[in-house]
Amino acid sequence: MKTGDSSWTTAQHTPTAEASESPPGDTAKDHGGPCDLVTVPARQGLEAVDILRRGAGEAPSVGPVLLDVNCDNLGFLVPPGTAACWDLPGSACTETAGRGLRIPAEPPVIGGAWLLPPDSGTGEVTDPAVLREALGEAARLIEAADGHR
């Protein structure tokens, strides 16, 4: 899927108009600040979620995670501005509508669902550096598993 800024995403997602708007603060739909969306293939994303949850000490190290309608891709909510410097092969980071997505109560992807909803952790988004490490480890685990078939 090609986005408006000529970058490619791995997920075929369509943010809803409501999720792309910047709603006023302190509304029932606004669970946090603006964020970007890192999309990865589901297999790698699920491995990364497991890695992040296992590595969590007292506080969860993974924020809200979306699953697309076809269960092909996962989307990790990350801080705004991540898209400007995200370059991990096999993944994409989208700045939603140029204003950043705000964490909504309902999944912002038409037909998608929350794998980890905003209320399942601290309500914060995933740290991009921590996510990058987990995705790299997940890719290595998948490569090792596939090499033993």
Side-chain angles (χ1 to χ4, degrees), residues 31 63-65 77 103-106 114 116-124:
H31 288 268
V65 179
L77 299 183
I103 303 173
E106 294 298 318
W114 289 114
L116 295 175
D119 298 333
S120 68
T122 62
E124 295 183 12

Side-chain angles (χ1 to χ4, degrees), residues 38-74:
V38 171
T39 53
V40 297
R43 185 175 178 200
Q44 183 181 14
L46 290 169
E47 286 287 345
V49 167
D50 286 344
I51 291 164
L52 291 168
R53 293 186 83 177
R54 278 194 316 261
E58 293 178 20
S61 59
V62 61
V65 179
L66 292 162
L67 183 61
D68 75 0
V69 67
N70 298 324
C71 300
D72 292 332
N73 298 285
L74 259 60

Side-chain angles (χ1 to χ4, degrees), residues 118-137:
D119 298 333
S120 68
T122 62
E124 295 183 12
V125 295
T126 304
D127 180 292
V130 173
L131 178 59
R132 183 182 303 273
E133 287 180 34
L135 289 171
E137 184 177 340

